[in-house]
Amino acid sequence: MSETVKQDHAVIGKSVPKIDGREKVTGAARYTADLKFPNMLFGKILTSPFAHARIISIDTSEAEKIPGVRAVITHKDAPTLKYGISPARWDENIFCIDTVKFVGDKVAAVACIDEQTCYKALAAIKVEYEELPAVLDPLHATDEDQPQIHPEFVRNINAEIHQDFGDVEAAFKDAHYVRTDTFVGNRTYQTPIEPHTATSMWDGEKLTVYSSTQSPHYFQYYIAREFGLPMGDVRVLKTYVGGGFGGKLEPTGLEFGGAILAKITGRPVKMFYDRAEMFAHNRGRHRQYMTITSGVDKDGKILGVHADFVMDGGAYTSLGIATAYYAGAMLTLTYEFDNFRFDMLRVYTNLPACGAQRGHGAPQPRYAFEAHLDNIAKDLDIDPMDIRILNARRPNTTTPNEFLVNSCEMKACLEKAREISGWDEKKGNLPKGRGIGVATGSFVSGAGYPIYRTDLPHAAAMIKVGEDGTAATLYTGATDIGQGSDTVLCQMAAEAMGYTYEQMKIVAADTETTPHDFGAYASRQTLMSGAAVKQAGEEVKAQMLEIAAEMLDFPAVDLDIREGKVFSPGNASVTLTFEEVARHFFVNRGPLVGKGSYTPPKLGGKFKGAAVGTSPAYSFAAQVSEVEIDEETGEINVLDVWDVHDCGTVINPALLEAQVHGALFMGLGESIWEEVKFDDKGRILNPNLSEYRIPTAVDMPVVHSALVDSYEPAGPWGVKEVGEGATLPTMGCFRNAIFDAMGVSINSLPLGYEKVWRALKERREEGPAE
Amino acid sequence: MFLPDFDYHAPETLAEACDLVRDLGPSAKVLAGGTDLLIKLKHGLVTPTAVISLKALDELKTITHVPGRGVVIGARATHNDLVNSPLLHERFLSVSEAAHKLANNQVRNRGTVGGNLVNAIPSADLPPILIALDAWITLVGSNTSRTVPLHSFFTGPSCCVIDPVDEILTEIVLPDQQTTGSTYLKFALRRSGALSVTGVAVAVTMDGDTIVDSRICLGAVFPVPVRANDAEDLLRGKTWSDELLAEAGEAASCCALPITDIRGTAEYRLDLVRVLTKRALKRAITEGHV
Ligand SMILES: Cc1cc2nc3c(=O)[nH]c(=O)nc-3n(C[C@H](O)[C@H](O)[C@H](O)COP(=O)(O)OP(=O)(O)OC[C@H]3O[C@@H](n4cnc5c(N)ncnc54)[C@H](O)[C@@H]3O)c2cc1C
């Protein structure tokens, strides 16, 4: 891995230990739910037991009488302003007013002196409902006879997308071969190990919320908007976060409810979800029905693609309008073709709302496309690896939907994956029951545009060097939710300043003390927050050099700083320590501070939805997996996975590899086991970790992770993303390995043992093909 | 998710425990490892006013061989006690292996054999192998003690013959026997911490290549762990072959009456019974107690 790291870096490119590793490993780290404040109350939310019902009345009087209950609130106590991702689709209230729209919809909340009392109080709230027929089947949500979920959204259509680039019909006409396949991607849930928590408190008119969030800034924005407060009077901050994966990017209801309860009681209120409540709130991956048609020439070169999707959005928009656009937009990245049409219908159902989950909208379509491509390769008798290499995107190209791709080592990734997996020796030569598959993926290194319309820079950073120079503190709004951004940003700060990582401190993700940053989503922080940090570090360094030049009476241009030493490359006798210079600076000029900010260039086309999927840079990856299938039971045994990534310059190889492993872990779970299941009343059947099966350590295959040389001109030091991109190839890769092993196609996720068993049984019953 | 309030007792002797069970009657629950009971308490599925913990009764924790009786497993032995018992490794490794397939390490450290039996869920992992090895159990009341063959212990999902207001399960006995091999195959949807979709245990008595006798017990495919009598009959006295074991698999699936649930369809489970039965038989025949 080290071959890709430029030798002249002192701090980046090294696997320094995580800055918070000791706290986390020893259990000293305090997460939001561990925080205690004097007089703190506990709050809980009452949710709907019905998928669709009219609220006739809510009687809180009995609950209020219970000793220890301090407040009971409903929509009457809350602002009625609707919220959501974009003004056209603000469709959610803090508490339901007339109707409940899914099992788990928020109806009321209580604040009590302890948690036990909360449950008693919730049980004492009497809500009279009139149950309504519910929409549970997304494929029939738009039928005339279906109940209407939101009056403003006719026929339950939340969003309709039609994008057309080039001439797909003509491409199909010219094609040697045209094929259509349909696949289904299922509802999965992010399952962060830390449940959502928020503790809210007021100091006069100022609200402070500690939240387990991926984006303090968005929470601050949403809360200020709901309560009509200036942003400056809302402080949102986090401590440690135990994973988010997209599910902690939007308000959870705990912040809103907690703010109201804290205001009424005048006391801090801690609110949190248990595991079942997390599943009920949800915002996980959408269920998608994906029909893809492609035309190829006789060599397998892709001429045109039509993606026609339907998405089950659940009861609200959540972040789902972005998901819907991403689902199609990201299909154009890994392979080059000129003609592309994308049709999408995102429908409302009376099920929990779906939102952003690692790879945001893209992994399931990627599964569908990679499976579809293998079907084509098989029909044309082309090696799946060859068809991918033939079509692989090249650097400095533009996709049909107008994404500019700078660095791109798609082909090199495939070739390396071919080599290290032993593809050519294995393909067609594996023992019975074994198979090998390949798939690709690509993802944004930060979204080109923010979630709401604003001209704020996407990231900003500030570095304050201590008075005696023995420490420097990085202030950044970037949000470490476990992925390690605090660590890599400190590495980057030290590199830019000429300092050491070990002397760096960090204050992050606090809307009051740290400069603005949009937070952890769209794999944006290494590139975007990193660019701001680099600029701040360089500003510190420039000031240091200037004053060092004075101290040494030596031209600043002939001086440099590296790992805490000021020196002249041409004159070994000229040296000062960073501490000496920094102290001198403080004594003579006051605080030594560097600032930086980052705004991406203007990106993308002019068509409707052109913004979604734009990014300054894209990562690329190829994955090969080898599986063993039990022919009689359908059991899928994943033996090995080879992941080859083009993610630009690597800041911390160990953390990068951890991201690949983590992404693969999630991808594995979604590929084979994970599925949120519902009964015929819209209730989740498996809101727990025993029947919603994420992989365990013993389920992990052997992971071989490798890199290809790459440098991204749009990123600081040439970086781009890795966190989400690594999830993308996995589902298609396993499907293709099963296809190779057994010759059966599993056309829906999760691939599942019983599905493989059934496909094999059906094939046996049909008799041998041809 | 809160434990309700209850009185807590941790009697020092078995007699004291039995008296408490009798005196407190239906308002009390016996607590062993708590891996089933605590979940039910937290979900409000049972609402006892008293809990009688067996934690002080160390005599219920041993695994020993008693000449004339067999291997005696105390009801409070944890799954990991079974996993790590040298005596079981020597005589019935299959029981250690079955215990190792159960749940995950944390649960195996706390959960007990007695709890697994009295809890009586159809997918429990220990009953099939214990029944295949012809185990019997001892139930002790304040004035009584009786032995029950394990195969007639279960009466339905979460139901067994124990008298909940008088009896404590004290031991499981694997009698000395002629069996030459036994094994338990668990089919679950993940390698760790997943309940069985189907489990099949077999014990065989071989004379060369002849199957003198066999016991086949199916888990998770019937309201109680069920013996596959048809398959056992079919095998008795025959020389084993892959074809014969395949036939036994077919016969075994005729003895199952599975339901469709979140873990799998009835159709799938029936076929798993067929596959697991023939595989388990072959393992026990060719590899002994594994
Ligand atoms: C995460 C998880 C995974 C699991 N996976 C599996 C699995 O894969 N396979 C499986 O079979 N089980 C599994 N279980 C269930 C459980 O762990 C076992 O059934 C365990 O053996 C129960 O034992 P215990 O000592 O914890 O019982 P407890 O919870 O203490 O008791 C269970 C019941 O038995 C009664 N009881 C206990 N001991 C006695 C006694 N000596 N006399 C009379 N009554 C008694 C109690 O009153 C109670 O009704 C799992 C549980 C969890 C939490």
Side-chain angles (χ1 to χ4, degrees):
Chain A
M1 177 167 289
S2 56
E3 78 252 21
T4 60
V5 174
K6 300 263 179 320
Q7 286 310 311
D8 55 351
H9 297 147
V11 190
I12 63 171
K14 300 198 168 42
S15 296
V16 301
K18 258 183 134 173
I19 201 158
D20 51 7
R22 174 180 288 270
E23 284 81 353
K24 285 183 173 168
V25 170
T26 58
R30 293 204 304 161
Y31 291 78
T32 308
D34 298 323
L35 301 179
K36 291 190 176 64
F37 297 92
N39 286 324
M40 187 172 82
L41 298 173
F42 294 78
K44 274 281 172 189
I45 296 177
L46 180 74
T47 60
S48 158
F50 298 113
H52 199 192
R54 189 167 291 121
I55 300 175
I56 312 268
S57 65
I58 308 176
D59 178 0
T60 60
S61 56
E62 289 303 315
E64 281 156 21
K65 283 183 212 150
I66 295 173
V69 176
R70 290 290 176 269
V72 184
I73 56 170
T74 68
H75 66 88
K76 293 202 186 89
D77 308 283
T80 52
L81 193 63
K82 287 187 174 173
Y83 67 91
I85 179 171
S86 63
R89 289 183 187 76
W90 283 335
D91 57 6
E92 199 164 356
N93 278 116
I94 293 179
F95 293 113
C96 298
I97 299 173
D98 303 315
T99 60
V100 289
K101 295 176 168 51
F102 72 97
V103 178
D105 219 353
K106 299 161 184 73
V107 176
V110 298
C112 307
I113 53 164
D114 55 29
E115 191 186 340
Q116 290 96 315
T117 309
C118 288
Y119 299 118
K120 287 183 199 143
L122 292 181
I125 299 174
K126 292 196 194 71
V127 187
E128 198 187 333
Y129 293 102
E130 176 198 336
E131 208 179 336
L132 300 170
V135 184
L136 299 175
D137 181 352
L139 289 181
H140 289 288
T142 62
D143 291 358
E144 293 293 347
D145 62 347
Q146 287 289 297
Q148 181 84 22
I149 300 174
H150 293 269
E152 330 64 290
F153 292 88
V154 179
R155 286 178 53 226
N156 298 319
I157 298 174
N158 169 250
E160 210 175 326
I161 302 171
H162 302 288
Q163 296 181 335
D164 206 346
F165 309 99
D167 188 341
V168 173
E169 288 314 320
F172 289 170
K173 223 173 270 147
D174 292 345
H176 164 71
Y177 182 59
V178 178
R179 182 181 165 111
T180 301
D181 288 299
T182 298
F183 300 91
V184 183
N186 244 310
R187 275 178 175 260
T188 54
Y189 180 57
Q190 292 95 349
T191 328
I193 212 69
E194 181 210 10
H196 307 56
T197 308
T199 299
S200 307
M201 62 205 79
W202 293 81
D203 181 4
E205 289 308 302
K206 184 185 151 194
L207 172 65
T208 298
V209 183
Y210 284 86
S211 174
S212 61
T213 172
Q214 295 178 230
S215 173
H217 174 81
Y218 282 127
F219 280 31
Q220 179 194 27
Y221 167 76
Y222 283 118
I223 293 166
R225 191 179 153 272
E226 275 295 320
F227 294 102
L229 295 167
M231 296 259 293
D233 279 348
V234 179
R235 178 185 189 186
V236 180
L237 67 162
K238 56 138 213 137
T239 59
Y240 295 92
V241 176
F245 312 108
K248 293 177 180 168
L249 182 53
E250 58 188 307
T252 58
L254 301 173
E255 296 78 17
F256 294 142
I260 300 166
L261 290 167
K263 184 83 183 176
I264 292 175
T265 59
R267 292 166 68 166
V269 176
K270 166 176 157 177
M271 305 210 42
F272 56 95
Y273 287 145
D274 65 23
R275 190 61 56 181
E277 289 165 339
M278 290 165 76
F279 273 93
H281 171 72
N282 212 270
R283 321 282 152 155
R285 210 178 291 294
H286 293 67
R287 185 177 174 92
Q288 287 193 63
Y289 298 84
M290 304 168 288
T291 297
I292 301 186
T293 305
S294 298
V296 298
D297 73 9
K298 63 178 185 340
D299 301 322
K301 182 95 196 69
I302 303 166
L303 303 176
V305 175
H306 177 205
D308 189 6
F309 296 174
V310 175
M311 199 175 228
D312 167 14
Y316 297 105
T317 302
S318 174
L319 291 164
I321 182 66
T323 324
Y325 276 107
Y326 268 122
M330 307 302 283
L331 279 176
T332 60
L333 280 162
T334 64
Y335 307 117
E336 287 182 20
F337 47 84
D338 296 330
N339 307 294
F340 178 55
R341 191 159 89 221
F342 173 45
D343 297 301
M344 163 67 88
L345 205 56
R346 185 182 190 270
V347 299
Y348 283 116
T349 59
N350 290 114
L351 296 171
C354 299
Q357 180 167 331
R358 201 171 194 163
H360 204 175
Q364 297 170 335
R366 182 50 56 192
Y367 146 76
F369 193 80
E370 297 290 330
H372 171 67
L373 194 58
D374 260 32
N375 289 350
I376 292 173
K378 183 158 192 185
D379 293 346
L380 299 184
D381 201 18
I382 304 174
D383 183 298
M385 190 62 90
D386 290 336
I387 201 170
R388 286 174 172 79
I389 290 174
L390 174 76
N391 286 291
R393 176 161 300 286
R394 291 160 297 171
N396 304 313
T397 50
T398 305
T399 68
N401 46 350
E402 298 182 52
F403 301 154
L404 291 181
V405 174
N406 309 320
S407 64
C408 171
E409 297 301 329
M410 189 67 260
K411 186 159 170 271
C413 286
L414 285 161
E415 282 167 348
K416 187 153 187 179
R418 168 178 233 153
E419 181 199 319
I420 64 174
S421 66
W423 177 274
D424 290 332
E425 300 84 72
K426 285 176 179 162
K427 182 70 187 167
N429 300 323
L430 289 170
K432 192 157 176 272
R434 283 222 197 170
I436 190 162
V438 58
T440 62
S442 170
F443 203 67
V444 298
S445 308
Y449 296 84
I451 287 181
Y452 68 94
R453 200 158 291 172
T454 173
D455 59 0
L456 287 174
H458 287 219
M462 196 169 80
I463 297 169
K464 188 198 84 177
V465 180
E467 298 74 36
D468 64 355
T470 55
T473 307
L474 169 64
Y475 294 83
T476 168
T479 310
D480 194 330
I481 55 174
Q483 83 283 49
S485 63
D486 282 357
T487 302
V488 295
L489 293 175
C490 281
Q491 282 182 272
M492 289 166 124
E495 181 72 42
M497 292 159 65
Y499 204 43
T500 69
Y501 167 74
E502 290 71 23
Q503 286 169 286
M504 288 302 304
K505 317 281 175 229
I506 185 163
V507 175
D510 172 351
T511 60
E512 191 160 290
T513 59
T514 66
H516 158 80
D517 188 293
F518 285 126
Y521 65 94
S523 295
R524 53 181 297 289
Q525 296 189 149
T526 305
L527 189 146
M528 296 190 171
S529 311
V533 167
K534 180 168 188 271
Q535 199 187 346
E538 285 167 353
E539 206 176 287
V540 168
K541 184 170 175 177
Q543 296 173 78
M544 286 277 294
L545 286 175
E546 195 191 312
I547 202 147
E550 276 174 35
M551 290 166 77
L552 291 162
D553 196 15
F554 204 81
V557 290
D558 291 333
L559 292 174
D560 199 1
I561 318 179
R562 202 180 153 94
E563 291 179 273
K565 303 261 180 315
V566 183
F567 65 100
S568 167
N571 185 341
S573 66
V574 179
T575 67
L576 282 172
T577 64
F578 193 100
E579 287 83 354
E580 287 169 317
V581 179
R583 190 172 187 290
H584 188 80
F585 189 102
F586 189 79
V587 170
N588 292 285
R589 300 198 184 171
L592 173 51
V593 174
K595 306 191 303 303
S597 76
Y598 174 81
T599 302
K602 196 153 173 35
L603 295 164
K606 298 244 178 306
F607 56 92
K608 188 154 188 264
V612 183
T614 58
S615 178
Y618 299 87
S619 71
F620 292 87
Q623 253 170 32
V624 170
S625 65
E626 190 174 337
V627 302
E628 185 176 47
I629 305 300
D630 185 324
E631 201 180 354
E632 288 186 300
T633 65
E635 187 171 354
I636 303 162
N637 184 12
V638 181
L639 302 169
D640 282 87
V641 176
W642 295 265
D643 178 283
V644 183
H645 244 79
D646 157 15
C647 52
T649 302
V650 178
I651 302 298
N652 187 313
L655 285 179
L656 177 121
E657 216 163 308
Q659 284 297 309
V660 171
H661 279 240
L664 197 85
F665 166 88
M666 277 186 90
L668 174 72
E670 286 195 58
S671 298
I672 300 180
W673 298 292
E674 295 179 37
E675 182 178 7
V676 180
K677 294 188 176 182
F678 297 91
D679 69 7
D680 60 3
K681 295 276 187 196
R683 292 174 296 214
I684 301 180
L685 289 165
N686 54 345
N688 53 61
L689 296 181
S690 107
E691 293 303 336
Y692 183 85
R693 273 175 292 276
I694 59 173
T696 68
V698 290
D699 297 300
M700 278 298 277
V702 181
V703 182
H704 313 264
S705 125
L707 295 172
V708 293
D709 260 327
S710 148
Y711 184 91
E712 171 54 51
W717 292 286
V719 305
K720 43 187 187 173
E721 83 87 40
V722 67
E724 292 179 85
T727 312
L728 282 161
T730 309
M731 305 173 200
C733 190
F734 290 143
R735 180 274 177 195
N736 289 345
I738 296 170
F739 188 50
D740 181 52
M742 311 308 293
V744 295
S745 174
I746 309 301
N747 295 337
S748 67
L749 293 168
L751 302 166
Y753 303 167
E754 185 166 348
K755 283 187 194 163
V756 176
W757 169 82
R758 192 171 297 283
L760 290 168
K761 175 168 172 277
E762 280 165 8
R763 195 185 53 187
R764 267 196 308 275
E765 284 164 3
E766 278 163 18
E770 280 105 76
Chain B
M1 290 304 132
F2 255 95
L3 277 183
D5 292 336
F6 48 75
D7 292 332
Y8 177 76
H9 305 270
E12 302 280 331
T13 65
L14 182 60
E16 215 183 303
C18 290
D19 288 348
L20 273 168
V21 169
R22 185 199 53 204
D23 296 347
L24 297 170
S27 65
K29 272 276 171 197
V30 169
L31 172 72
T35 60
D36 282 317
L37 186 63
L38 288 185
I39 295 172
K40 289 184 187 163
L41 287 171
K42 285 190 174 182
H43 281 90
L45 300 175
V46 291
T47 49
T49 54
V51 165
I52 304 162
S53 170
L54 305 182
K55 74 170 190 185
L57 308 183
D58 283 340
E59 70 269 31
L60 299 190
K61 226 177 134 42
T62 53
I63 304 174
T64 49
H65 183 254
V66 180
R69 295 184 76 208
V71 175
V72 180
I73 303 171
R76 263 196 65 223
T78 64
H79 302 302
N80 270 344
D81 289 337
L82 304 194
V83 171
N84 298 318
S85 159
L87 180 64
L88 286 176
H89 290 189
E90 188 193 312
R91 299 199 178 223
F92 300 111
L93 180 60
S94 52
V95 175
S96 294
E97 290 286 339
H100 191 244
K101 288 176 181 144
L102 185 150
N104 52 44
N105 207 33
Q106 291 92 322
V107 172
R108 288 195 293 271
N109 272 333
R110 284 208 70 82
T112 64
V113 193
N116 195 250
L117 300 184
V118 177
N119 200 48
I121 58 163
S123 62
D125 286 310
L126 293 182
I129 186 68
L130 296 175
I131 291 173
L133 291 169
D134 212 19
W136 49 270
I137 57 170
T138 304
L139 300 173
V140 176
S142 45
N143 294 309
T144 56
S145 173
R146 56 175 176 146
T147 61
V148 179
L150 189 58
H151 70 80
S152 55
F153 178 68
F154 301 102
T155 52
S158 305
C159 296
C160 56
V161 302
I162 196 166
D163 180 351
V165 295
D166 192 41
E167 286 175 322
I168 288 175
L169 168 60
T170 56
E171 61 182 14
I172 297 96
V173 181
L174 297 169
D176 291 336
Q177 52 194 275
Q178 305 295 317
T179 54
T180 53
S182 64
T183 196
Y184 172 65
L185 296 185
K186 168 174 180 166
F187 191 84
L189 300 176
R190 183 173 59 187
R191 288 201 186 131
S192 174
L195 293 175
S196 287
V197 179
T198 300
V200 175
V202 305
V204 293
T205 308
M206 301 297 292
D207 179 7
D209 283 342
T210 306
I211 303 171
V212 178
D213 202 2
S214 68
R215 279 187 294 268
I216 303 172
C217 185
L218 316 177
V221 289
F222 204 75
V224 294
V226 65
R227 288 272 292 274
N229 292 319
D230 294 358
E232 295 173 3
D233 292 345
L234 184 144
L235 293 168
R236 194 164 298 118
K238 301 237 177 75
T239 305
W240 84 272
S241 66
D242 287 337
E243 295 70 41
L244 181 71
L245 304 189
E247 274 176 52
E250 304 272 357
S253 65
C254 295
C255 302
L257 196 65
I259 55 164
T260 291
D261 69 8
I262 192 167
R263 293 188 281 278
T265 62
E267 191 193 357
Y268 187 38
R269 287 189 154 109
L270 280 181
D271 202 39
L272 288 172
V273 168
R274 178 185 69 79
V275 175
L276 297 184
T277 301
K278 71 174 179 181
R279 289 183 185 177
L281 282 166
K282 185 155 182 181
R283 251 190 119 204
I285 290 170
T286 58
E287 297 178 45
H289 293 284
V290 288

